[in-house]
Amino acid sequence: MLVRDAMSTVVLTIGPTHTLRQAAALMSARKVGAAVVHDPDAGIGILTERDILNSVGLGQDPDTERTHAHTTNDVVFAAAAWTLEEAAAAMAHGGFRHLIVLDDGEPAGIVSVRDIIRCWAPARQRVPA
């Protein structure tokens, strides 16, 4: 199975001047764990729920902290034609849970560890309580 089969194609894109609270509200409303940050100066980056959690854990104010200060700009990008094994290996090697999928240099989707697990897990398998 390929990344294109697992990725979410609805990508939340935010700007570098959004506050962390604004980013968290948008991520929560869309039920996603990451947002693409499009910064004309720094390029394409990613902000994850972990980035927001780390900031709040440090006592920073989510109403004044801007996404650009918490965005990962040294991003590992995936191609839609990668296998899920390649995506999982990149995530394991880099220690992250989301990959931005590029198509012609533009974000076409995001694939997460959860997306990969859903593809690999047997359909509708019940887990005992």
Side-chain angles (χ1 to χ4, degrees):
M1 188 168 280
L2 303 177
V3 166
R4 75 170 47 94
D5 302 318
M7 71 183 193
S8 300
T9 57
V10 177
V11 178
L12 174 59
T13 302
I14 60 176
T17 60
H18 279 82
T19 66
L20 291 186
R21 184 174 308 280
Q22 290 170 323
L26 291 167
M27 291 165 65
S28 177
R30 298 254 184 117
K31 296 179 175 45
V32 297
V36 172
V37 179
H38 184 263
D39 186 336
D41 297 324
I44 298 170
I46 190 166
L47 179 78
T48 68
E49 57 200 357
R50 184 178 294 169
D51 297 323
I52 296 169
L53 180 66
N54 287 340
S55 174
V56 171
L58 290 171
Q60 296 173 335
D61 184 352
D63 289 315
T64 59
E65 287 295 311
R66 303 293 172 174
T67 58
H68 68 82
H70 302 277
T71 298
T72 300
N73 291 309
D74 185 20
V75 179
V76 174
F77 296 102
W82 278 13
T83 65
L84 294 184
E85 289 80 5
E86 288 173 305
M91 290 177 186
H93 179 73
F96 42 79
R97 299 178 293 169
H98 299 85
L99 288 169
I100 299 172
V101 182
L102 293 183
D103 184 23
D104 289 329
E106 294 296 320
I110 291 184
V111 65
S112 69
V113 170
R114 180 176 288 163
D115 296 328
I116 293 172
I117 290 170
R118 284 184 185 142
C119 290
W120 284 348
R124 299 192 180 254
Q125 179 179 356
R126 288 197 168 249
V127 177

mmCIF file of all heavy atoms in Angstrom, residues 66-116:
data_model
loop_
_atom_site.group_PDB
_atom_site.id
_atom_site.type_symbol
_atom_site.label_atom_id
_atom_site.label_comp_id
_atom_site.label_asym_id
_atom_site.label_seq_id
_atom_site.Cartn_x
_atom_site.Cartn_y
_atom_site.Cartn_z
ATOM 1 N N ARG A 66 3.634 32.654 18.931
ATOM 2 C CA ARG A 66 3.315 32.541 17.504
ATOM 3 C C ARG A 66 3.835 31.223 16.945
ATOM 4 O O ARG A 66 4.847 30.689 17.402
ATOM 5 C CB ARG A 66 3.917 33.710 16.717
ATOM 6 C CG ARG A 66 3.465 35.067 17.206
ATOM 7 C CD ARG A 66 2.005 35.279 16.958
ATOM 8 N NE ARG A 66 1.514 36.497 17.595
ATOM 9 C CZ ARG A 66 0.308 36.960 17.426
ATOM 10 N NH1 ARG A 66 -0.549 36.330 16.654
ATOM 11 N NH2 ARG A 66 -0.071 38.054 18.043
ATOM 12 N N THR A 67 3.138 30.724 15.958
ATOM 13 C CA THR A 67 3.490 29.413 15.408
ATOM 14 C C THR A 67 4.911 29.376 14.853
ATOM 15 O O THR A 67 5.581 28.353 14.961
ATOM 16 C CB THR A 67 2.499 28.977 14.312
ATOM 17 O OG1 THR A 67 2.480 29.947 13.274
ATOM 18 C CG2 THR A 67 1.115 28.786 14.870
ATOM 19 N N HIS A 68 5.388 30.494 14.296
ATOM 20 C CA HIS A 68 6.727 30.470 13.695
ATOM 21 C C HIS A 68 7.807 30.093 14.693
ATOM 22 O O HIS A 68 8.825 29.506 14.314
ATOM 23 C CB HIS A 68 7.058 31.809 13.014
ATOM 24 C CG HIS A 68 7.235 32.953 13.963
ATOM 25 N ND1 HIS A 68 8.406 33.191 14.625
ATOM 26 C CD2 HIS A 68 6.372 33.914 14.359
ATOM 27 C CE1 HIS A 68 8.268 34.255 15.395
ATOM 28 N NE2 HIS A 68 7.029 34.715 15.251
ATOM 29 N N ALA A 69 7.587 30.385 15.970
ATOM 30 C CA ALA A 69 8.585 30.068 16.992
ATOM 31 C C ALA A 69 8.571 28.590 17.380
ATOM 32 O O ALA A 69 9.489 28.124 18.057
ATOM 33 C CB ALA A 69 8.345 30.926 18.237
ATOM 34 N N HIS A 70 7.574 27.846 16.929
ATOM 35 C CA HIS A 70 7.419 26.450 17.334
ATOM 36 C C HIS A 70 7.310 25.494 16.145
ATOM 37 O O HIS A 70 7.093 24.300 16.331
ATOM 38 C CB HIS A 70 6.183 26.318 18.231
ATOM 39 C CG HIS A 70 6.280 27.195 19.435
ATOM 40 N ND1 HIS A 70 6.968 26.829 20.576
ATOM 41 C CD2 HIS A 70 5.836 28.454 19.656
ATOM 42 C CE1 HIS A 70 6.918 27.821 21.441
ATOM 43 N NE2 HIS A 70 6.243 28.819 20.917
ATOM 44 N N THR A 71 7.457 26.046 14.960
ATOM 45 C CA THR A 71 7.336 25.262 13.736
ATOM 46 C C THR A 71 8.636 24.540 13.424
ATOM 47 O O THR A 71 9.717 25.105 13.571
ATOM 48 C CB THR A 71 6.980 26.191 12.552
ATOM 49 O OG1 THR A 71 5.720 26.801 12.821
ATOM 50 C CG2 THR A 71 6.901 25.434 11.246
ATOM 51 N N THR A 72 8.514 23.302 12.991
ATOM 52 C CA THR A 72 9.668 22.570 12.479
ATOM 53 C C THR A 72 9.811 22.920 11.009
ATOM 54 O O THR A 72 8.899 22.677 10.208
ATOM 55 C CB THR A 72 9.471 21.049 12.639
ATOM 56 O OG1 THR A 72 9.316 20.753 14.029
ATOM 57 C CG2 THR A 72 10.644 20.270 12.063
ATOM 58 N N ASN A 73 10.927 23.529 10.657
ATOM 59 C CA ASN A 73 11.166 23.909 9.259
ATOM 60 C C ASN A 73 12.110 22.947 8.553
ATOM 61 O O ASN A 73 12.188 22.950 7.326
ATOM 62 C CB ASN A 73 11.710 25.336 9.177
ATOM 63 C CG ASN A 73 10.651 26.346 9.556
ATOM 64 O OD1 ASN A 73 9.541 26.320 9.045
ATOM 65 N ND2 ASN A 73 10.981 27.223 10.489
ATOM 66 N N ASP A 74 12.824 22.142 9.315
ATOM 67 C CA ASP A 74 13.709 21.132 8.747
ATOM 68 C C ASP A 74 12.887 19.856 8.581
ATOM 69 O O ASP A 74 13.029 18.898 9.333
ATOM 70 C CB ASP A 74 14.902 20.905 9.677
ATOM 71 C CG ASP A 74 15.916 19.947 9.095
ATOM 72 O OD1 ASP A 74 15.919 19.755 7.867
ATOM 73 O OD2 ASP A 74 16.694 19.377 9.882
ATOM 74 N N VAL A 75 11.984 19.881 7.600
ATOM 75 C CA VAL A 75 10.960 18.855 7.452
ATOM 76 C C VAL A 75 11.433 17.739 6.523
ATOM 77 O O VAL A 75 12.072 17.994 5.500
ATOM 78 C CB VAL A 75 9.660 19.488 6.882
ATOM 79 C CG1 VAL A 75 8.578 18.449 6.688
ATOM 80 C CG2 VAL A 75 9.174 20.594 7.794
ATOM 81 N N VAL A 76 11.085 16.514 6.891
ATOM 82 C CA VAL A 76 11.252 15.375 5.993
ATOM 83 C C VAL A 76 9.920 15.229 5.263
ATOM 84 O O VAL A 76 8.878 15.060 5.898
ATOM 85 C CB VAL A 76 11.581 14.075 6.769
ATOM 86 C CG1 VAL A 76 11.613 12.877 5.838
ATOM 87 C CG2 VAL A 76 12.898 14.233 7.515
ATOM 88 N N PHE A 77 9.957 15.352 3.963
ATOM 89 C CA PHE A 77 8.745 15.251 3.160
ATOM 90 C C PHE A 77 8.616 13.853 2.584
ATOM 91 O O PHE A 77 9.611 13.179 2.335
ATOM 92 C CB PHE A 77 8.772 16.259 2.008
ATOM 93 C CG PHE A 77 8.779 17.686 2.465
ATOM 94 C CD1 PHE A 77 9.950 18.428 2.465
ATOM 95 C CD2 PHE A 77 7.610 18.296 2.900
ATOM 96 C CE1 PHE A 77 9.969 19.749 2.876
ATOM 97 C CE2 PHE A 77 7.610 19.610 3.321
ATOM 98 C CZ PHE A 77 8.795 20.341 3.311
ATOM 99 N N ALA A 78 7.377 13.434 2.361
ATOM 100 C CA ALA A 78 7.099 12.140 1.734
ATOM 101 C C ALA A 78 6.560 12.382 0.332
ATOM 102 O O ALA A 78 6.038 13.454 0.023
ATOM 103 C CB ALA A 78 6.064 11.365 2.553
ATOM 104 N N ALA A 79 6.671 11.364 -0.484
ATOM 105 C CA ALA A 79 6.053 11.362 -1.808
ATOM 106 C C ALA A 79 4.841 10.437 -1.754
ATOM 107 O O ALA A 79 4.844 9.437 -1.030
ATOM 108 C CB ALA A 79 7.039 10.871 -2.863
ATOM 109 N N ALA A 80 3.822 10.779 -2.503
ATOM 110 C CA ALA A 80 2.608 9.963 -2.519
ATOM 111 C C ALA A 80 2.895 8.542 -2.981
ATOM 112 O O ALA A 80 2.186 7.604 -2.605
ATOM 113 C CB ALA A 80 1.550 10.611 -3.413
ATOM 114 N N ALA A 81 3.939 8.355 -3.757
ATOM 115 C CA ALA A 81 4.277 7.037 -4.293
ATOM 116 C C ALA A 81 5.132 6.201 -3.345
ATOM 117 O O ALA A 81 5.437 5.048 -3.644
ATOM 118 C CB ALA A 81 4.991 7.181 -5.637
ATOM 119 N N TRP A 82 5.517 6.761 -2.193
ATOM 120 C CA TRP A 82 6.248 5.960 -1.217
ATOM 121 C C TRP A 82 5.356 4.836 -0.720
ATOM 122 O O TRP A 82 4.143 4.979 -0.630
ATOM 123 C CB TRP A 82 6.614 6.795 -0.001
ATOM 124 C CG TRP A 82 7.823 7.652 -0.111
ATOM 125 C CD1 TRP A 82 8.512 7.986 -1.232
ATOM 126 C CD2 TRP A 82 8.454 8.327 0.978
ATOM 127 N NE1 TRP A 82 9.539 8.826 -0.910
ATOM 128 C CE2 TRP A 82 9.532 9.040 0.432
ATOM 129 C CE3 TRP A 82 8.212 8.390 2.335
ATOM 130 C CZ2 TRP A 82 10.375 9.820 1.222
ATOM 131 C CZ3 TRP A 82 9.052 9.162 3.120
ATOM 132 C CH2 TRP A 82 10.120 9.862 2.571
ATOM 133 N N THR A 83 5.978 3.736 -0.328
ATOM 134 C CA THR A 83 5.221 2.684 0.356
ATOM 135 C C THR A 83 4.997 3.125 1.800
ATOM 136 O O THR A 83 5.711 3.996 2.321
ATOM 137 C CB THR A 83 5.981 1.348 0.363
ATOM 138 O OG1 THR A 83 7.179 1.501 1.139
ATOM 139 C CG2 THR A 83 6.304 0.875 -1.059
ATOM 140 N N LEU A 84 4.024 2.496 2.458
ATOM 141 C CA LEU A 84 3.803 2.810 3.863
ATOM 142 C C LEU A 84 5.010 2.395 4.694
ATOM 143 O O LEU A 84 5.316 3.031 5.714
ATOM 144 C CB LEU A 84 2.530 2.146 4.384
ATOM 145 C CG LEU A 84 1.230 2.664 3.765
ATOM 146 C CD1 LEU A 84 0.032 1.993 4.426
ATOM 147 C CD2 LEU A 84 1.123 4.170 3.855
ATOM 148 N N GLU A 85 5.711 1.363 4.253
ATOM 149 C CA GLU A 85 6.925 0.942 4.950
ATOM 150 C C GLU A 85 7.983 2.038 4.890
ATOM 151 O O GLU A 85 8.678 2.301 5.885
ATOM 152 C CB GLU A 85 7.467 -0.364 4.355
ATOM 153 C CG GLU A 85 6.626 -1.581 4.673
ATOM 154 C CD GLU A 85 5.387 -1.749 3.787
ATOM 155 O OE1 GLU A 85 5.191 -0.953 2.828
ATOM 156 O OE2 GLU A 85 4.590 -2.654 4.073
ATOM 157 N N GLU A 86 8.133 2.698 3.745
ATOM 158 C CA GLU A 86 9.100 3.793 3.622
ATOM 159 C C GLU A 86 8.713 4.958 4.530
ATOM 160 O O GLU A 86 9.571 5.555 5.192
ATOM 161 C CB GLU A 86 9.179 4.277 2.172
ATOM 162 C CG GLU A 86 9.869 3.304 1.237
ATOM 163 C CD GLU A 86 9.773 3.726 -0.214
ATOM 164 O OE1 GLU A 86 8.636 3.945 -0.703
ATOM 165 O OE2 GLU A 86 10.836 3.842 -0.858
ATOM 166 N N ALA A 87 7.423 5.281 4.559
ATOM 167 C CA ALA A 87 6.955 6.368 5.420
ATOM 168 C C ALA A 87 7.178 6.031 6.889
ATOM 169 O O ALA A 87 7.662 6.866 7.661
ATOM 170 C CB ALA A 87 5.482 6.655 5.153
ATOM 171 N N ALA A 88 6.836 4.805 7.280
ATOM 172 C CA ALA A 88 7.023 4.386 8.672
ATOM 173 C C ALA A 88 8.499 4.409 9.050
ATOM 174 O O ALA A 88 8.856 4.827 10.158
ATOM 175 C CB ALA A 88 6.424 2.993 8.888
ATOM 176 N N ALA A 89 9.366 3.989 8.144
ATOM 177 C CA ALA A 89 10.804 4.003 8.420
ATOM 178 C C ALA A 89 11.313 5.430 8.597
ATOM 179 O O ALA A 89 12.121 5.698 9.492
ATOM 180 C CB ALA A 89 11.557 3.299 7.293
ATOM 181 N N ALA A 90 10.843 6.355 7.769
ATOM 182 C CA ALA A 90 11.254 7.759 7.899
ATOM 183 C C ALA A 90 10.793 8.327 9.234
ATOM 184 O O ALA A 90 11.543 9.045 9.905
ATOM 185 C CB ALA A 90 10.686 8.583 6.739
ATOM 186 N N MET A 91 9.566 7.986 9.637
ATOM 187 C CA MET A 91 9.052 8.468 10.921
ATOM 188 C C MET A 91 9.847 7.882 12.079
ATOM 189 O O MET A 91 10.213 8.598 13.023
ATOM 190 C CB MET A 91 7.576 8.102 11.066
ATOM 191 C CG MET A 91 6.659 8.860 10.162
ATOM 192 S SD MET A 91 4.973 8.236 10.392
ATOM 193 C CE MET A 91 4.106 9.140 9.128
ATOM 194 N N ALA A 92 10.112 6.595 12.029
ATOM 195 C CA ALA A 92 10.866 5.942 13.103
ATOM 196 C C ALA A 92 12.279 6.509 13.185
ATOM 197 O O ALA A 92 12.781 6.788 14.282
ATOM 198 C CB ALA A 92 10.906 4.435 12.881
ATOM 199 N N HIS A 93 12.910 6.707 12.043
ATOM 200 C CA HIS A 93 14.275 7.233 12.011
ATOM 201 C C HIS A 93 14.333 8.665 12.547
ATOM 202 O O HIS A 93 15.247 9.028 13.292
ATOM 203 C CB HIS A 93 14.833 7.184 10.587
ATOM 204 C CG HIS A 93 16.217 7.735 10.465
ATOM 205 N ND1 HIS A 93 17.322 7.057 10.929
ATOM 206 C CD2 HIS A 93 16.671 8.910 9.967
ATOM 207 C CE1 HIS A 93 18.401 7.793 10.711
ATOM 208 N NE2 HIS A 93 18.028 8.915 10.129
ATOM 209 N N GLY A 94 13.340 9.483 12.179
ATOM 210 C CA GLY A 94 13.342 10.883 12.584
ATOM 211 C C GLY A 94 12.692 11.160 13.922
ATOM 212 O O GLY A 94 12.820 12.250 14.466
ATOM 213 N N GLY A 95 11.949 10.182 14.454
ATOM 214 C CA GLY A 95 11.296 10.363 15.743
ATOM 215 C C GLY A 95 10.093 11.282 15.690
ATOM 216 O O GLY A 95 9.825 12.015 16.639
ATOM 217 N N PHE A 96 9.359 11.256 14.585
ATOM 218 C CA PHE A 96 8.159 12.077 14.477
ATOM 219 C C PHE A 96 6.992 11.241 13.994
ATOM 220 O O PHE A 96 7.159 10.100 13.593
ATOM 221 C CB PHE A 96 8.379 13.298 13.571
ATOM 222 C CG PHE A 96 9.159 12.996 12.321
ATOM 223 C CD1 PHE A 96 8.564 12.395 11.226
ATOM 224 C CD2 PHE A 96 10.506 13.319 12.232
ATOM 225 C CE1 PHE A 96 9.277 12.122 10.082
ATOM 226 C CE2 PHE A 96 11.237 13.042 11.089
ATOM 227 C CZ PHE A 96 10.616 12.446 10.005
ATOM 228 N N ARG A 97 5.774 11.827 14.060
ATOM 229 C CA ARG A 97 4.558 11.067 13.784
ATOM 230 C C ARG A 97 3.769 11.545 12.575
ATOM 231 O O ARG A 97 2.721 10.990 12.270
ATOM 232 C CB ARG A 97 3.642 11.104 15.015
ATOM 233 C CG ARG A 97 4.293 10.475 16.233
ATOM 234 C CD ARG A 97 3.420 10.557 17.444
ATOM 235 N NE ARG A 97 3.282 11.962 17.847
ATOM 236 C CZ ARG A 97 2.427 12.398 18.742
ATOM 237 N NH1 ARG A 97 1.615 11.577 19.336
ATOM 238 N NH2 ARG A 97 2.379 13.669 19.061
ATOM 239 N N HIS A 98 4.264 12.576 11.897
ATOM 240 C CA HIS A 98 3.564 13.108 10.724
ATOM 241 C C HIS A 98 4.562 13.400 9.612
ATOM 242 O O HIS A 98 5.665 13.856 9.882
ATOM 243 C CB HIS A 98 2.840 14.417 11.055
ATOM 244 C CG HIS A 98 1.807 14.287 12.116
ATOM 245 N ND1 HIS A 98 2.109 14.370 13.452
ATOM 246 C CD2 HIS A 98 0.477 14.083 12.037
ATOM 247 C CE1 HIS A 98 0.998 14.227 14.155
ATOM 248 N NE2 HIS A 98 -0.004 14.042 13.329
ATOM 249 N N LEU A 99 4.130 13.172 8.377
ATOM 250 C CA LEU A 99 4.907 13.545 7.202
ATOM 251 C C LEU A 99 4.027 14.366 6.277
ATOM 252 O O LEU A 99 2.892 13.975 5.987
ATOM 253 C CB LEU A 99 5.369 12.305 6.420
ATOM 254 C CG LEU A 99 6.466 11.437 7.008
ATOM 255 C CD1 LEU A 99 6.577 10.137 6.222
ATOM 256 C CD2 LEU A 99 7.794 12.186 6.982
ATOM 257 N N ILE A 100 4.550 15.494 5.819
ATOM 258 C CA ILE A 100 3.858 16.256 4.787
ATOM 259 C C ILE A 100 4.151 15.572 3.462
ATOM 260 O O ILE A 100 5.307 15.258 3.149
ATOM 261 C CB ILE A 100 4.343 17.711 4.750
ATOM 262 C CG1 ILE A 100 4.068 18.405 6.084
ATOM 263 C CG2 ILE A 100 3.682 18.469 3.592
ATOM 264 C CD1 ILE A 100 4.688 19.787 6.195
ATOM 265 N N VAL A 101 3.109 15.342 2.684
ATOM 266 C CA VAL A 101 3.248 14.698 1.374
ATOM 267 C C VAL A 101 3.240 15.793 0.319
ATOM 268 O O VAL A 101 2.295 16.594 0.254
ATOM 269 C CB VAL A 101 2.104 13.693 1.119
ATOM 270 C CG1 VAL A 101 2.300 12.994 -0.214
ATOM 271 C CG2 VAL A 101 2.013 12.684 2.265
ATOM 272 N N LEU A 102 4.287 15.833 -0.484
ATOM 273 C CA LEU A 102 4.399 16.842 -1.527
ATOM 274 C C LEU A 102 4.044 16.281 -2.893
ATOM 275 O O LEU A 102 4.335 15.129 -3.199
ATOM 276 C CB LEU A 102 5.826 17.398 -1.591
ATOM 277 C CG LEU A 102 6.325 18.221 -0.422
ATOM 278 C CD1 LEU A 102 7.726 18.742 -0.721
ATOM 279 C CD2 LEU A 102 5.392 19.362 -0.084
ATOM 280 N N ASP A 103 3.427 17.128 -3.695
ATOM 281 C CA ASP A 103 3.159 16.834 -5.100
ATOM 282 C C ASP A 103 3.543 18.087 -5.873
ATOM 283 O O ASP A 103 2.954 19.155 -5.639
ATOM 284 C CB ASP A 103 1.684 16.486 -5.304
ATOM 285 C CG ASP A 103 1.367 16.080 -6.734
ATOM 286 O OD1 ASP A 103 2.294 15.647 -7.453
ATOM 287 O OD2 ASP A 103 0.196 16.207 -7.133
ATOM 288 N N ASP A 104 4.535 17.985 -6.735
ATOM 289 C CA ASP A 104 5.058 19.140 -7.476
ATOM 290 C C ASP A 104 5.465 20.282 -6.548
ATOM 291 O O ASP A 104 5.213 21.453 -6.821
ATOM 292 C CB ASP A 104 4.036 19.642 -8.508
ATOM 293 C CG ASP A 104 3.881 18.678 -9.670
ATOM 294 O OD1 ASP A 104 4.865 17.990 -10.019
ATOM 295 O OD2 ASP A 104 2.764 18.611 -10.223
ATOM 296 N N GLY A 105 6.063 19.924 -5.414
ATOM 297 C CA GLY A 105 6.573 20.919 -4.483
ATOM 298 C C GLY A 105 5.539 21.558 -3.581
ATOM 299 O O GLY A 105 5.865 22.421 -2.777
ATOM 300 N N GLU A 106 4.295 21.148 -3.707
ATOM 301 C CA GLU A 106 3.219 21.707 -2.878
ATOM 302 C C GLU A 106 2.627 20.629 -1.981
ATOM 303 O O GLU A 106 2.533 19.466 -2.384
ATOM 304 C CB GLU A 106 2.114 22.290 -3.764
ATOM 305 C CG GLU A 106 2.534 23.500 -4.566
ATOM 306 C CD GLU A 106 2.906 24.684 -3.684
ATOM 307 O OE1 GLU A 106 2.225 24.926 -2.668
ATOM 308 O OE2 GLU A 106 3.904 25.360 -4.005
ATOM 309 N N PRO A 107 2.181 20.995 -0.767
ATOM 310 C CA PRO A 107 1.555 20.006 0.114
ATOM 311 C C PRO A 107 0.286 19.423 -0.513
ATOM 312 O O PRO A 107 -0.610 20.154 -0.922
ATOM 313 C CB PRO A 107 1.211 20.809 1.362
ATOM 314 C CG PRO A 107 2.118 21.990 1.325
ATOM 315 C CD PRO A 107 2.310 22.306 -0.126
ATOM 316 N N ALA A 108 0.266 18.099 -0.616
ATOM 317 C CA ALA A 108 -0.891 17.392 -1.181
ATOM 318 C C ALA A 108 -1.630 16.607 -0.105
ATOM 319 O O ALA A 108 -2.738 16.141 -0.327
ATOM 320 C CB ALA A 108 -0.440 16.452 -2.285
ATOM 321 N N GLY A 109 -0.996 16.457 1.052
ATOM 322 C CA GLY A 109 -1.606 15.693 2.124
ATOM 323 C C GLY A 109 -0.656 15.565 3.291
ATOM 324 O O GLY A 109 0.476 16.033 3.247
ATOM 325 N N ILE A 110 -1.159 14.910 4.324
ATOM 326 C CA ILE A 110 -0.344 14.562 5.485
ATOM 327 C C ILE A 110 -0.643 13.109 5.804
ATOM 328 O O ILE A 110 -1.797 12.677 5.770
ATOM 329 C CB ILE A 110 -0.676 15.443 6.707
ATOM 330 C CG1 ILE A 110 -0.217 16.881 6.458
ATOM 331 C CG2 ILE A 110 -0.029 14.886 7.974
ATOM 332 C CD1 ILE A 110 -0.401 17.822 7.633
ATOM 333 N N VAL A 111 0.408 12.362 6.097
ATOM 334 C CA VAL A 111 0.231 10.985 6.537
ATOM 335 C C VAL A 111 0.774 10.894 7.963
ATOM 336 O O VAL A 111 1.828 11.451 8.274
ATOM 337 C CB VAL A 111 0.899 9.967 5.586
ATOM 338 C CG1 VAL A 111 2.408 10.112 5.552
ATOM 339 C CG2 VAL A 111 0.487 8.545 5.924
ATOM 340 N N SER A 112 0.019 10.244 8.810
ATOM 341 C CA SER A 112 0.395 10.114 10.221
ATOM 342 C C SER A 112 0.609 8.644 10.567
ATOM 343 O O SER A 112 0.206 7.751 9.822
ATOM 344 C CB SER A 112 -0.690 10.701 11.121
ATOM 345 O OG SER A 112 -1.851 9.893 11.076
ATOM 346 N N VAL A 113 1.210 8.437 11.710
ATOM 347 C CA VAL A 113 1.361 7.073 12.212
ATOM 348 C C VAL A 113 -0.015 6.418 12.310
ATOM 349 O O VAL A 113 -0.193 5.261 11.943
ATOM 350 C CB VAL A 113 2.076 7.070 13.581
ATOM 351 C CG1 VAL A 113 2.015 5.707 14.228
ATOM 352 C CG2 VAL A 113 3.509 7.526 13.432
ATOM 353 N N ARG A 114 -0.992 7.168 12.785
ATOM 354 C CA ARG A 114 -2.355 6.642 12.917
ATOM 355 C C ARG A 114 -2.911 6.204 11.555
ATOM 356 O O ARG A 114 -3.553 5.163 11.454
ATOM 357 C CB ARG A 114 -3.262 7.684 13.550
ATOM 358 C CG ARG A 114 -4.692 7.196 13.715
ATOM 359 C CD ARG A 114 -5.535 8.208 14.435
ATOM 360 N NE ARG A 114 -5.111 8.215 15.825
ATOM 361 C CZ ARG A 114 -5.389 9.174 16.685
ATOM 362 N NH1 ARG A 114 -6.084 10.213 16.319
ATOM 363 N NH2 ARG A 114 -4.971 9.095 17.933
ATOM 364 N N ASP A 115 -2.654 6.980 10.513
ATOM 365 C CA ASP A 115 -3.117 6.603 9.174
ATOM 366 C C ASP A 115 -2.507 5.270 8.743
ATOM 367 O O ASP A 115 -3.188 4.410 8.179
ATOM 368 C CB ASP A 115 -2.739 7.668 8.139
ATOM 369 C CG ASP A 115 -3.410 9.004 8.377
ATOM 370 O OD1 ASP A 115 -4.556 9.027 8.882
ATOM 371 O OD2 ASP A 115 -2.787 10.036 8.057
ATOM 372 N N ILE A 116 -1.227 5.105 9.029
ATOM 373 C CA ILE A 116 -0.535 3.871 8.649
ATOM 374 C C ILE A 116 -1.077 2.688 9.445
ATOM 375 O O ILE A 116 -1.355 1.622 8.885
ATOM 376 C CB ILE A 116 0.992 4.034 8.827
ATOM 377 C CG1 ILE A 116 1.512 5.064 7.807
ATOM 378 C CG2 ILE A 116 1.707 2.694 8.664
ATOM 379 C CD1 ILE A 116 2.959 5.460 8.012
#
